[in-house]
């Protein structure tokens, strides 16, 4: 067995350094980038005392920085202690004082762009890898110390059992303070798969999770059973067809929930069991459809013994569950007495056993069933809860004489606090709730409080739990008035198991909790009411939630996507330009399988045409008409051609060259587009070259849509169901509602400020050593319609986050070297409607809006050299971009739909920038071939460019490293001015992108670089 967790991770880094390791939203890190960033942080941690048998606390939200921090701690040989940033300050203070970490990491301590990869410290397998705190019955949490050999055994078993492959994508959504997060973080990293991070707080929102799983093609995800129930109630769950395995643990898995899962998502559910004290999980069970009886927790994992013993520690068919083997924790940090109490000598062999406190039964087939607890410990949302800890804290509240907390099971699992106050009580129980919320994590705060004169006791003087009354839940009151109130009142009652609910009743005061809130949100969505769990928490009452709810969230019937699609702002922008637009298009090339079958390819294209409604659309006057599926036949738009390419199969460079050879066929395909006749898509393929070139009219496509089409063609070719999200028609119809007249002052100020002039002349060649790390090359020069076009590529590492801000800062600095502001148009992806799921929708969603960027008066030489000016300039421009309201979607509505008179006559920016995001140069089947300038639009010769200069930029991840592709399209500028601007821009990017240059360029090398651009 490999000695340490770090060795497993570093072996994968060495095997595939250029592949994607972790992704969060639009940002990601390759394995090599993760290694470099973690190495740099590890060096700083080691200098501060981190090493084997030491602890480093990590207090970061879910992010790329968190993953880097965890790997960095492992590189030092220390153990990491996750500290949830959402925990109350007293809880955090206790954990830090108890654990004594040498360092506590915060978000500002992690730099994603710095570092040189270095091997980590080699540790003894018995050294601790991490420490996780759990609830303690005495009111004092305890930290379980888990060694490398324990977690390595667990992860290697999981890889052998479930076999993650490099194309797998594992969703990390569990809070880092919960031990399930350990395998979510590290299993994909030891298997060469991709770790995909949910947004902080996203683990509480089933609708968000369903959309994320579909968008990111997640194959592996974990749910605690209570959250799984809420997820399955979300309409979008059944579209999560990419899932290959769903892992359940943390709570008992009810048989009815497993059956519901099988109805919704099929045969891919696994039930795991284990305490924090035994490296996450020690048993597993594959759930099969139609199985009768309770769902077992299964059989032991590798090198682990699970025993059911009677009170005399003899094997029994029913009894308490004990665990032995390599996965046991070393014990509780700094608690030798408690460690000796729970980790007892093993009478059946050398070593120790852990007393779980769980009751279990051994079935005839050897599988183990969970029966309950020997004490009052419960699991809530997968977290272990010791009610005694909560009662101990509550007893410290002024005015509380005695307190006891118990768990009740209807509705759901709820904590109820029974309180005997000092003297006569006339206060508000909310004060007790607030007292606990300030000291305990949210899952430990009771949902109900019961005031009692005395606590009931038995004849022996012990607490009589059976005599504790059910909490009273007063309901009714003011009757619901609106339709939304009636619906929500009914849903409140259904979720909480109440006969009726009034308009003024509060969800949480009636006994609800955050998991039940998710169930409420899912049911509301099914009733066409859009709510979030956060709104339920914040607003609480039927009346307030009804006022906040929006209609229109149920998955649309396919026929609602048909018919008239009103013109969007970007469509009006195109139609108002004048000139011919029939050829205004985009094109991509896809790699085909080596043994591609013509009939299957035609069938896949037909499925995509029938599924993505806009591909069948027809332009009528100023709007689109969408006909039913089957109107456009794949056989009429797909043409086969032969490209002479030698041995192209499987070779990225030759296939790309063959794709270029198809460009001529692509130009002929562009000329066949006829939007007013419903010809929006053309396709040309060559089986010899393994290339499929798609050409689509821009009215129905954008950069995001191409990625969706590529994925769906692969799905359809392989016979899979295509996932559906909201229709473009519905989104476009609702778009005018997003106009905001109050934004007008911002847009007027943006357009009317001082500008350096309508046409950029370029800053000339920069002085000093500031060229970008890497090399530039002229890939092509020519025409786009009546315009000049130039595509430049630059091998450059621009970092993984904030790339758009960096590109815009460099351009602004290059244009305004003598001071002043720069007026630009920016193109955004436009999919900003938080109430619409557009994750799988094809269409032209693009938004275009102006920004005025003032980089200040940066010292040019200092900026291009990466001096202090670079960081200040980047921060200044980034702040200006953050002031754009709602990512710019309101501007196009005000200017092109509302035709606000306040904007009439105001200037249009002369320069437009479109950052298309990051792409991966992959040799996989159905991957997009990353040709320089691939997604820049094409047009008829008589369609004049919309701006004096348009810059389309994308970052392509290649095996040799990242590459910046920039395509410049201009109307009246001369090519020399464009090249000079490019030289200045690239030089500015060099200073902005590299805090520590990988390549130091002298003046002669810089001169050569500029000459190459000319």
């Amino acid at each position: 067995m490999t000695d340490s967790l770090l060795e497993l991770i570093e072996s994968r880094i060495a095997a595939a350094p250029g592949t994607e390791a972790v992704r969060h939203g639009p940002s990601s890190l390759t394995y090599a980038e993760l290694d470099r960033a973690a190495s740099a942080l590890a060096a700083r941690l080691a200098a501060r005392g981190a090493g084997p048998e030491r602890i480093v606390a990590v207090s970061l939200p879910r992010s790329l920085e968190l993953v880097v921090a965890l790997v960095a701690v492992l590189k030092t040989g220390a153990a990491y202690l996750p500290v949830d940033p959402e925990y109350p300050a007293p809880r955090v203070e206790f954990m830090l004082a108890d654990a004594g970490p040498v360092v506590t990491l915060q978000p500002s301590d992690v730099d994603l762009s710095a570092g040189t990869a270095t091997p980590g410290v080699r540790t003894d397998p018995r050294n601790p890898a991490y420490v996780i705190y759990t609830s303690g019955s005495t009111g004092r949490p305890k930290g379980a110390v888990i060694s490398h050999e324990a977690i390595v055994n667990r992860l290697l078993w999981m890889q052998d059992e479930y076999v993650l492959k490099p194309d797998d994508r594992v969703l990390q959504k569990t809070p880092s303070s919960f031990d399930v997060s350990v395998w979510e973080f590290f299993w994909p990293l030891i298997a060469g798969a991709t770790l995909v991070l949910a947004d902080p707080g996203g683990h509480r929102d089933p609708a968000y999770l369903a959309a994320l799983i579909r968008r990111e093609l997640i194959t592996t995800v974990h749910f605690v059973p209570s959250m799984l129930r809420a997820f399955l109630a979300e309409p979008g769950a059944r579209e999560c067809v990419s899932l290959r395995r769903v892992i359940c643990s943390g709570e008992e898995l009810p048989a009815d929930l497993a059956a519901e899962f099988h109805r919704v998502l099929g045969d891919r559910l696994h039930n795991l069991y284990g305490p924090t004290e035994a490296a996450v999980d020690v048993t597993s069970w594959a759930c099969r459809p139609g199985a009768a009886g309770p769902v077992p927790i299964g059989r032991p994992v590798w090198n682990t013994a699970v025993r059911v013993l009677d009170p005399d520690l003899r094997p029994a068919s029913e009894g308490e569950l004990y665990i032995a083997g390599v996965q046991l924790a070393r014990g509780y940090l700094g608690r030798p007495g408690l460690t000796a109490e729970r980790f007892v000598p093993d009478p059946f062999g050398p070593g120790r056993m852990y007393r779980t406190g769980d009751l279990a039964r051994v079935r005839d087939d050897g599988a183990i069933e969970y029966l309950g607890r020997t004490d009052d410990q419960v699991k809530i949302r997968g977290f272990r809860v010791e009610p005694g800890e909560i009662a101990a804290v509550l007893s410290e509240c002024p005015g509380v004489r005695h307190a006891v907390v118990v768990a009740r099971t209807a509705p759901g699992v709820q904590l109820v606090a029974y309180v005997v106050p000092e003297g006569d009580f006339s206060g508000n129980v909310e004060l007790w709730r607030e007292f606990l919320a300030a000291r305990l994590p949210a899952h430990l705060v009771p949902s109900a409080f019961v005031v009692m004169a005395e606590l009931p006791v038995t004849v022996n003087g012990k607490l009589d739990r059976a005599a504790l009354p059910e909490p009273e839940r007063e309901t009714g009151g003011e009757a619901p008035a609106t339709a939304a109130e009636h619906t929500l009142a009914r849903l409140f009652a259904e979720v909480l198991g109440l006969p009726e609910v009034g308009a003024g009743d509060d969800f949480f005061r009636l006994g609800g909790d955050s998991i039940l809130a998710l169930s409420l949100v899912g049911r509301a969505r099914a009733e066409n009411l859009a709510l979030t769990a956060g709104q339920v928490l914040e607003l609480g009452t039927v009346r307030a939630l009804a006022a906040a709810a929006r209609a229109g969230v149920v998955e649309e019937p396919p026929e609602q996507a048909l018919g008239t699609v009103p013109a969007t702002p970007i469509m009006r922008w195109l139609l108002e330009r004048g000139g011919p637009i029939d050829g205004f298009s985009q094109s991509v090339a896809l790699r085909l399988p080596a043994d591609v079958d013509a009939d299957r390819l035609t069938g896949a294209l037909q499925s995509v045409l029938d599924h993505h409604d806009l591909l069948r659309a027809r332009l009528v006057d100023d709007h689109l008409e969408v006909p039913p599926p089957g109107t456009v036949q794949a056989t009429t738009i797909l043409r086969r051609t032969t490209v002479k390419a030698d041995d192209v199969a499987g070779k990225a460079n030759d296939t790309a060259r063959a794709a270029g050879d198809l460009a001529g066929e692509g130009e002929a395909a562009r000329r066949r587009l006829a939007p007013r006749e419903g010809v929006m898509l053309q396709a040309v393929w060559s089986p010899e070259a393994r290339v499929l070139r798609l050409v689509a009219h821009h009215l129905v496509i954008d950069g995001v849509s191409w990625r969706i089409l590529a994925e769906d063609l692969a799905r359809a070719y392989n016979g899979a169901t295509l996932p559906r999200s909201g229709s473009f028609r519905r989104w476009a119809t609702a778009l005018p509602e997003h106009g905001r007249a109050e934004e007008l002052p911002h847009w007027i100020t943006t357009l009317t400020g001082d500008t350096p002039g309508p046409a950029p002349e370029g800053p000339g060649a920069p002085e000093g050593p500031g060229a970008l790390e890497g090399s530039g090359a002229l890939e092509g020069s020519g025409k786009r319609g009546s315009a000049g076009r130039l595509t430049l590529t630059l091998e450059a590492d621009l970092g993984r986050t904030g790339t758009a801000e960096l590109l815009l800062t460099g351009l602004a600095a290059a244009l305004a070297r003598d001071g002043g502001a720069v007026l630009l148009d920016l193109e955004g992806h436009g999919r900003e409607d938080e109430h619409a799921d557009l994750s799988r929708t094809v269409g032209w969603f693009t938004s275009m809006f102006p920004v005025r960027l003032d980089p200040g008066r940066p010292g040019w030489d200092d900026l291009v050299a990466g001096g202090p000016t670079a960081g200040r300039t980047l921060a200044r421009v980034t702040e200006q971009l953050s002031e754009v309201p709602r990512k710019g979607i309101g501007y196009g509505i005000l200017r092109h739909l509302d035709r606000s008179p306040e904007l009439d006559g105001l200037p249009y920016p002369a320069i437009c920038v479109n950052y298309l995001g990051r792409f991966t140069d992959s040799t996989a089947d159905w991957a997009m071939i990353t040709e320089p300038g691939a997604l820049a639009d094409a047009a008829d010769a008589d369609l004049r460019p919309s701006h004096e200069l348009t810059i389309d930029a994308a970052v392509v991840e290649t095996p040799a490293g990242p590459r910046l592709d920039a395509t410049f399209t201009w109307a009246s500028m001369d090519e020399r001015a464009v090249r000079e601007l490019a030289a200045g821009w690239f030089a500015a990017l060099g200073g902005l992108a590299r805090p520590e240059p990988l390549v130091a360029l002298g003046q002669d090398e810089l001169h050569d670089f500029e000459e190459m651009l000319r």
Side-chain angles (χ1 to χ4, degrees), residues 858-878:
W860 182 258
D861 291 343
D862 186 62
L863 186 147
V864 299
T869 297
R872 289 195 298 268
T873 305
L874 179 58
R876 179 185 177 98
V877 172
T878 299

Side-chain angles (χ1 to χ4, degrees), residues 483-491 520-532 545-546 548-554:
E485 288 181 4
H486 278 284
T487 298
L488 285 172
R490 172 172 54 81
L491 296 179
L520 175 69
V521 169
R523 296 186 188 212
R525 286 174 59 84
E527 298 279 356
N528 213 29
L529 291 175
L531 286 175
T532 66
L545 289 169
R550 286 189 46 174
V553 298
V554 174

Side-chain angles (χ1 to χ4, degrees), residues 421 423-428:
D424 295 333
F425 179 75
S426 58
N428 188 341

